[in-house]
Amino acid sequence: MRIFKFGGASVKDADGIKNVLDVLQKVGHEDLLVVISAMGKTTNALEIVIKNYFEKSSAFHASLQEVRKYHNQILLDLFEDEEHDVFFAVNSHFADLEYFLRSNKSPNYNFVYDQVISYGEIVSTTVVSHYFNEKGLKNNWIDVRNFIKTDTNYRDAEVNWEQTQKLISKGIKKKTLNITQGFLGSDENNFTTTLGREGSDYTAAIFAYCLSAESVTIWKDVPGVMNADPRYFENAVLLNQISYREAIELAFYGASVIHPKTLQPLQKKEIPLYVKSFINPLLPGTSVSKGEDLEPKTSCFIVKKNQLLLSLSSIDFSFIMEENISEIFALFHQFKMKVSLIQNSAISFSVCMEDKFGNFNDLKGILSKKFKVSYNENVSLYTIRHFTKEAAEMVEKDKVVLLKQISRETMQVVTKE
């Protein structure tokens, strides 16, 4: 069985959905499970709905109607018959969402977030499944929440692999085209959970692992994995082959094409991952599999914007020792700070990190009771894998370097533009 994943950009409008159908007709759709994200920027739009809901904003109803209107226009562009079942199905999903928002009593932001945000994927897969059926491509729509079981860590849930394996092995029909949602799971009480932003790639890997799939293909609007983000670096080149180990390194440092958690389950069963273009589906793209670390051998550049550089030093000039570092990391974990770089000396300790959940001010209040705290906001972290002198000079040019760290294969630089 093969697993395909199509992201939001591939289904952002009616033409995109038609193109996904065209891709499947070109590359084959037998023995296939397709994971699909929310359409376009729907996740962002639903985040605004959630924000307005919690702030009791007068814009709440209008923001929700915007999401409905966007999907309704796609339906009108795809289906000539306005009595088609798909209109009822999509309206029913939105009615469920509105009922939840009216009746919810939970003040837990992360719980509410997961219940609401999931409708992006539920609606997008409903539309795609109905459209494929309409065009003669019969398929099996699956609610992923019945198969991927997780803990209750809303917005960043951990998969219960044993339970998930059992459900997928028993419940997925092979020899057919299956369509399901990325990013979602459910806890033991069947409340919706999410696997972290960009978690749809991970969903594909979970199904691949549990089904011992032949391969996973992530379809994107780029020809494959590049050695650098073309938005920030000129002359980016396509990587034809990446080993699992190298891909995990790149993902760890923040390469945006592959979700960090995606690769581990694939590596365990040596399932190849392909990254291909949904614009030119017959091109070979990039293969992540056993073999060469990198082909061609070249420096790889990763940039993470909007980072926070935090430096802690002891108030009394005493050493920052293991027990201090242990305490600091316990706080980072508590406040869900994503650490990307660590550097320490005898009396100071610096980290570059991402304040994903907006908790830094609370964290800073606690740290400042024990340490002298200094920080820079909105810094950029550049990572160069297989760096050269020329690569380092290019990254540092016209920037203020706040921190630099070099190991055998990797150079990291924190800069202020």
Side-chain angles (χ1 to χ4, degrees), residues 40-199:
K41 301 292 183 186
T42 298
T43 300
N44 294 344
L46 285 169
E47 284 178 338
I48 292 167
V49 171
I50 297 161
K51 180 174 178 285
N52 290 338
Y53 172 78
F54 272 96
E55 291 175 358
K56 297 184 168 50
S57 166
S58 58
F60 165 66
H61 289 292
S63 60
L64 185 55
Q65 285 312 306
E66 276 300 308
V67 179
R68 282 192 84 142
K69 200 166 111 185
Y70 167 66
H71 287 88
N72 200 51
Q73 186 56 57
I74 292 172
L75 289 177
L76 292 170
D77 292 341
L78 285 175
F79 299 91
E80 289 175 17
D81 179 9
E82 290 188 34
E83 300 296 313
H84 194 288
D85 287 351
V86 71
F87 288 90
F88 173 78
V90 169
N91 282 334
S92 177
H93 289 317
F94 278 110
D96 290 345
L97 170 57
E98 287 174 359
Y99 176 76
F100 170 79
L101 290 165
R102 280 197 312 274
S103 60
N104 170 60
K105 299 288 189 293
S106 173
N108 181 338
Y109 181 91
N110 292 339
F111 169 78
V112 173
Y113 181 99
D114 280 5
Q115 309 321 300
V116 173
I117 217 77
S118 60
Y119 282 89
E121 277 72 16
I122 297 295
V123 171
S124 74
T125 51
T126 299
V127 174
V128 171
S129 175
H130 276 84
Y131 179 70
F132 284 6
N133 279 326
E134 175 82 356
K135 293 298 174 183
L137 195 59
K138 297 304 172 195
N139 63 87
N140 183 33
W141 184 89
I142 293 166
D143 189 333
V144 73
R145 296 169 296 184
N146 296 330
F147 293 92
I148 295 181
K149 302 304 285 187
T150 73
D151 64 10
T152 56
N153 186 23
Y154 300 107
R155 292 185 74 187
D156 205 8
E158 288 287 326
V159 174
N160 179 327
W161 281 94
E162 190 181 340
Q163 212 180 348
T164 299
Q165 173 76 71
K166 278 182 192 164
L167 291 166
I168 288 175
S169 299
K170 276 187 199 167
I172 297 299
K173 292 180 192 167
K174 298 186 180 181
K175 307 293 181 194
T176 187
L177 171 60
N178 299 279
I179 292 178
T180 196
Q181 307 78 35
F183 179 51
L184 310 180
S186 69
D187 64 19
E188 62 185 4
N189 294 312
N190 292 323
F191 288 116
T192 303
T193 57
T194 61
L195 307 176
R197 271 310 277 272
E198 309 304 329

Side-chain angles (χ1 to χ4, degrees), residues 179-222:
I179 292 178
T180 196
Q181 307 78 35
F183 179 51
L184 310 180
S186 69
D187 64 19
E188 62 185 4
N189 294 312
N190 292 323
F191 288 116
T192 303
T193 57
T194 61
L195 307 176
R197 271 310 277 272
E198 309 304 329
S200 295
D201 293 358
Y202 187 37
T203 305
I206 293 165
F207 275 104
Y209 180 87
C210 293
L211 293 165
S212 297
E214 177 192 307
S215 63
V216 173
T217 305
I218 296 173
W219 295 94
K220 301 185 78 71
D221 55 359
V222 291

Side-chain angles (χ1 to χ4, degrees), residues 312-325 328 344-349 370-372:
L312 305 175
S313 52
S314 53
I315 294 167
D316 59 0
F317 293 100
S318 60
F319 290 161
I320 291 188
M321 301 296 284
E322 288 83 354
E323 64 267 23
N324 305 114
I325 293 171
I328 291 163
N344 67 299
S345 68
I347 59 170
S348 72
F349 179 80
K370 285 201 171 185
F371 303 97
K372 185 180 171 189

